[in-house]
Amino acid sequence: MLPTILKERRITLHLTQQVVADQLHTTRQTISNWENGKNYPDVPMLVAISSLYGLSLDDMLKQDTNYLNKVANDYQLINRQKKSHLLDYSLLLSLSGLIILTLVTIFFKAQLNEPLMVLLVLIFTTSLVILSYFKTAQFYSNQPGNKQPLLIPKVVGIGLTINPNHPVGKIIWLAILVFVIGSLLTVIF
């Protein structure tokens, strides 16, 4: 395991934790935590350790499934956060578009093509329903074995919303989407 390898190699090289910490520009406590398995060095630090100890990354990590699992989990978390940010920006863009359309309608009502405005509002509303579904489903992830409540706190704001991970909640979300898309198709045709 990585903690054992780090400690044994440091001792073999006759280095103290403080000397290693100074070489890696970190603290002695950090070195101790790595050697005791309390936490792990990040990838750039592993490269520096590899160079200092004369070990390949493969030798250090190949047998440490705990570290490899931690890295895999970290990357999954980073990817989920990236997707969450993209979803947040999309929601913000759709909501901003809807607000702008509302303001344009208020201030320029005489100059507007009403069917076009209704179509645009329904397009933004459809995107908001779809994005809201995914945001809520992402925020309240489905956990196997746990009974999902139908109503859950809203992701943003005060109040309750329908849980997209609940079987009845999925049907309600689908009904809302069908209604909005039906309204959109009615305006188009």
Side-chain angles (χ1 to χ4, degrees):
M1 302 301 168
L2 182 62
T4 305
I5 291 170
L6 294 177
K7 185 174 186 175
E8 287 176 357
R9 186 63 178 172
R10 178 184 59 76
I11 292 169
T12 300
L13 295 173
H14 306 290
L15 299 172
T16 65
Q17 287 181 342
Q18 187 60 53
V19 169
V20 173
D22 292 342
Q23 290 287 323
L24 297 175
H25 307 289
T26 190
T27 64
R28 188 210 54 79
Q29 184 62 43
T30 300
I31 304 301
S32 174
N33 287 341
W34 294 341
E35 290 181 357
N36 291 315
K38 291 182 180 176
N39 58 34
Y40 291 95
D42 59 15
V43 174
M45 189 60 77
L46 279 173
V47 172
I49 294 168
S50 169
S51 176
L52 178 65
Y53 285 180
L55 293 172
S56 72
L57 290 174
D58 190 46
D59 290 337
M60 292 187 337
L61 300 176
K62 185 169 41 176
Q63 298 172 357
D64 196 341
T65 56
N66 289 337
Y67 183 77
L68 295 176
N69 288 337
K70 180 189 178 311
V71 169
N73 289 339
D74 288 349
Y75 279 111
Q76 287 176 351
L77 178 62
I78 289 168
N79 287 333
R80 277 196 305 268
Q81 288 177 339
K82 284 181 183 178
K83 288 178 185 177
S84 180
H85 289 313
L86 179 61
L87 194 55
D88 290 342
Y89 292 134
S90 300
L91 274 164
L92 183 62
L93 184 63
S94 293
L95 185 58
S96 298
L98 198 55
I99 291 169
I100 289 169
L101 283 174
T102 303
L103 293 173
V104 166
T105 303
I106 291 170
F107 293 111
F108 302 104
K109 187 169 184 148
Q111 294 89 4
L112 295 178
N113 179 347
E114 189 172 322
L116 177 61
M117 292 305 289
V118 170
L119 177 65
L120 291 174
V121 166
L122 285 172
I123 288 171
F124 279 107
T125 302
T126 302
S127 68
L128 277 174
V129 169
I130 293 168
L131 293 169
S132 295
Y133 172 84
F134 286 114
K135 182 64 179 178
T136 306
Q138 178 188 58
F139 194 78
Y140 294 101
S141 60
N142 192 5
Q143 298 173 355
N146 290 346
K147 186 176 178 187
Q148 297 284 326
L150 178 59
L151 297 175
I152 53 177
K154 291 173 69 175
V155 175
V156 176
I158 299 172
L160 297 174
T161 190
I162 298 163
N163 186 350
N165 296 315
H166 189 279
V168 175
K170 287 181 193 274
I171 294 169
I172 294 170
W173 275 96
L174 182 62
I176 293 168
L177 182 60
V178 167
F179 175 76
V180 173
I181 291 175
S183 300
L184 180 62
L185 294 174
T186 302
V187 170
I188 293 173
F189 301 110

